[in-house]
Amino acid sequence: MPVFHAIQRRIGIDSATGDLWAGDVGQNEREEIDRIVLGGNYGWRCREGTAAYNGSGCPSSGLIEPLYDYSHADGNASVTGGNVYRGAGIPALQGRYVFGDFVSGRVWALRDNGTGGYDADEIADTNASISSFALGNDGELYFSDYSSGRLQRLVGSGGGFVDVVPDDLAATGCVNPANPEEAAPGVIPYSVNASFWSDGATKTRHLAVPDGTTITVGAEADWQFPAGSVLMKTMALSGKPVETRLLMRHPDGGWAGYTYEWNTAATAATRVRGGKTRFVSGQDWIYPSEGQCMQCHTNVAGISLGPETAQLNRSQHYSATNRNANQLETLSHIGLLPASVGVPANQPALATPMTATSIDDVARAYLHANCAYCHQPDGPTGVDMDLRYFQTLKGTQTCNAPPQAGDLGIAGARLIVPGDPSRSILLQRMLRRDAHGMPPLGSSLPDAGKAAVIANWITQMPPCEASAGGCHQAMDSF
C-alpha cells in the first residue's frame, strides 16, 4: 500500500515548482481551476469562473481570472482539484495538472495552449464520485471514490480500465436480443411499494443474481447483492420506453451505473456516456452520467436502494408461471433470500396508496423512497434529517427544525412547520427544479401529485410537542 502525502481535497502543491493549485467549486453554472498567489483575489462572488455572477460592491480591477473553467453541461457539476503529475508511469502527463469532477466522474489534464492560457484534455471518463486526489510515495496519482469507498490509481491506456459494458442494450445479456423490451430468460421481475419519482414515467424492474449465490439482508432490512448481480429498470413515457438503467456489481465487488437511450421506434437502446438531455413526449428527459448514478446509489443507503424488504413485501405477477405471489415468499422459496425473510407477515411493508391506513403512512413511504437514500445518518447531504420510514417524526429531526442549507428567502422557514406547508422547506424544495430543488439532479419536473400529499400531511400534522413521542406510531414497530 503506498504512503500518501497529506493533501486537502481541492488543493495541490507542485513538488517541482512549489506552485499551489486549487479546484474551486462554483455556485450554479461554472467550476474553475486557479493557481494561487499570495494575496490574490479570485473574484467570488463577483465572478463565477470567467462569468459575471454578482457585481454588487465589486472592484473595477485586480481580480485574477481562473486558468481554466468549465460549465455544468453534460453532467459536470463539482470540480475536485488534483495535482501536477510528476510520476514516471504516464510520461504523456508529465508536468500537467490533473483534476476531476465529483458528479460526472470525468478526469482532465490541463495543457498550455501557447497563448497564455490552458486547454483541458479529457483523459478518463469513470463511474467514480471523485472526492479527492493524492500523490503516493511512488509519484503516481490516486483518487478516492466516495460512492464505493475505494481507492483507485490513474494509469496509462496500456494498463488502464477496459470498458466491457456493451453499447447495445441487446448485447448485455439482460434482455431478449430479438425483442429488447423483454427481459432475458432467468431475469426476475420485481416491483416496489413506494416508487421513486421519475418525471411521470412508468417503470418495469428486474434483477439477476449469479447461479449459486444469494442475497443477504442487513440489520435495517437493506439487501446486499453478490458480485455479478445486475438490477435493471426501464422507464417509459406515453407507452414507449425512453431509458433503461443497469446497476451492476462487477466481479471485483464494485458497483457502477449505466444508462441506455431507446430510439424513437422503441426497437433498440444505445448506451449514453457522460449524460445528456433529450426532448421526448413533450418534456425534457435527463439521462444521468455514470457519476450521477452513484451519487444516489450510495454506500450508506445500501447501493441498490429499491430492493429492500419493506419495498418488496408485496404481490408480483410472474409471467413465466402466470401466477401472482408475494415477492419475499417467492425469492425465499427459490433460495435467493434467507428462509426467515420469506414469511411476509413477519416483515415490514412500506405503505402504498391502496394499503395505507393514514396519510402519514403514504407521506413517510414517499419520503423514504425519494429522499432517505441521502437524508439519513452519514449521508452525503451534511444535514441532520433522517427520512427513513421507521423513524418517528421526532427522529426525522424535521419538525420545527431550522433549515441547515438555506431558507429560500421564506420568513419563519423550518424544515416542517405543522399546519403550514408554505413555510415548510421540505415541501418547498420538492416544488422547485432549480439549484435549490430536490432531488438535486436527474429530474426536470416536480412531482405535483405527491407534493399535494405532502402538503396535506403537513396541514394535518399536530404540533411538534404533541407528536414528538408518538407520531407515526404505525411504523414505530419496524
Side-chain angles (χ1 to χ4, degrees):
M1 184 71 181
V3 177
F4 295 101
H5 305 303
I7 191 167
Q8 296 184 33
R9 175 182 170 189
R10 297 188 178 93
I11 296 176
I13 299 173
D14 184 354
S15 61
T17 66
D19 288 341
L20 181 64
W21 294 73
D24 187 2
V25 173
Q27 181 70 20
N28 299 320
E29 299 295 337
R30 305 194 72 79
E31 309 294 299
E32 69 180 78
I33 300 295
D34 299 302
R35 191 161 49 210
I36 307 302
V37 297
L38 183 64
N41 185 342
Y42 295 88
W44 180 254
R45 61 185 166 82
C46 305
R47 311 278 290 172
E48 182 185 12
T50 54
Y53 181 74
N54 184 334
S56 176
C58 292
S60 58
S61 63
L63 300 182
I64 300 174
E65 292 289 334
L67 297 180
Y68 181 78
D69 74 331
Y70 64 93
S71 75
H72 285 192
D74 300 324
N76 300 311
S78 181
V79 67
T80 299
N83 295 83
V84 176
Y85 181 78
R86 300 291 180 183
I90 316 176
L93 287 184
Q94 187 62 227
R96 298 177 66 180
Y97 178 76
V98 178
F99 65 99
D101 189 275
F102 178 81
V103 174
S104 71
R106 293 187 177 96
V107 181
W108 298 270
L110 288 188
R111 170 174 42 84
D112 190 326
N113 62 20
T115 61
Y118 287 86
D119 295 325
D121 296 318
E122 184 176 314
I123 59 173
D125 186 359
T126 77
N127 300 311
S129 298
I130 302 172
S131 53
S132 63
F133 287 89
L135 294 170
N137 63 343
D138 56 1
E140 298 306 313
L141 191 57
Y142 296 77
F143 63 86
S144 57
D145 180 359
Y146 182 87
S147 297
S148 69
R150 295 187 297 170
L151 189 68
Q152 302 191 43
R153 180 165 64 94
L154 200 66
V155 298
S157 58
F161 171 73
V162 178
D163 191 346
V164 298
V165 179
D167 285 340
D168 186 352
L169 179 64
T172 62
C174 297
V175 298
N176 177 2
N179 181 5
E181 285 196 72
E182 295 179 357
V187 178
I188 302 169
Y190 74 94
S191 56
V192 296
N193 282 318
S195 184
F196 181 79
W197 168 249
S198 296
D199 285 5
T202 58
K203 288 177 264 192
T204 55
R205 303 171 177 85
H206 294 80
L207 61 86
V209 177
D211 292 341
T213 64
T214 59
I215 301 167
T216 58
V217 180
E220 294 176 352
D222 280 331
W223 292 6
Q224 285 88 51
F225 287 82
S229 298
V230 180
L231 304 176
M232 178 170 67
K233 179 167 62 177
T234 295
M235 288 153 283
L237 295 173
S238 303
K240 281 190 173 184
V242 63
E243 180 183 3
T244 292
R245 295 178 187 172
L246 303 181
L247 185 65
M248 298 183 176
R249 189 168 194 189
H250 289 290
D252 66 356
W255 285 91
Y258 308 94
T259 186
Y260 290 79
E261 176 187 6
W262 284 84
N263 62 17
T264 55
T267 57
T270 303
R271 185 176 163 192
V272 175
R273 287 176 168 82
K276 68 179 290 186
T277 300
R278 167 187 163 197
F279 190 74
V280 56
S281 296
Q283 65 186 73
D284 284 333
W285 184 264
I286 300 171
Y287 299 86
S289 69
E290 293 85 347
Q292 286 175 322
C293 289
M294 304 316 295
Q295 276 192 273
C296 296
H297 292 275
T298 63
N299 280 329
V300 70
I303 299 290
S304 58
L305 302 188
E308 58 180 351
T309 301
Q311 281 280 32
L312 271 74
N313 192 354
R314 58 176 286 147
S315 183
Q316 168 70 29
H317 179 73
Y318 297 95
S319 57
T321 58
N322 195 30
R323 65 188 292 266
N324 295 321
N326 182 277
Q327 296 178 103
L328 302 185
E329 197 171 18
T330 300
L331 295 176
S332 178
H333 176 74
I334 63 177
L336 286 185
L337 285 176
S340 59
V341 181
V343 184
N346 295 339
Q347 302 300 328
L350 279 179
T352 72
M354 299 297 293
T355 63
T357 58
S358 70
I359 192 172
D360 183 63
D361 290 342
V362 178
R364 292 300 304 276
Y366 180 84
L367 294 175
H368 177 84
N370 286 268
C371 309
Y373 56 89
C374 285
H375 289 291
Q376 59 177 285
D378 299 319
T381 62
V383 299
D384 295 332
M385 275 192 291
D386 185 357
L387 296 178
R388 293 174 294 177
Y389 70 92
F390 50 75
Q391 282 288 4
T392 63
L393 181 63
K394 181 179 181 180
T396 66
Q397 302 190 66
T398 58
C399 199
N400 269 341
Q404 296 172 276
D407 61 10
L408 305 181
I410 299 172
R414 294 291 185 268
L415 294 179
I416 293 178
V417 181
D420 193 347
S422 67
R423 290 195 292 131
S424 298
I425 291 294
L426 183 145
L427 171 64
Q428 296 306 315
R429 288 194 184 276
M430 281 180 60
L431 295 171
R432 302 174 72 134
R433 283 300 179 268
D434 56 12
H436 305 289
M438 287 291 165
L441 54 85
S443 174
S444 63
L445 299 174
D447 186 352
K450 283 301 190 292
V453 171
I454 299 298
N456 289 337
W457 174 58
I458 293 171
T459 299
Q460 299 176 31
M461 188 179 292
C464 295
E465 293 75 17
S467 62
C471 187
H472 199 50
Q473 301 249 344
M475 306 297 277
D476 284 352
S477 60
F478 295 146

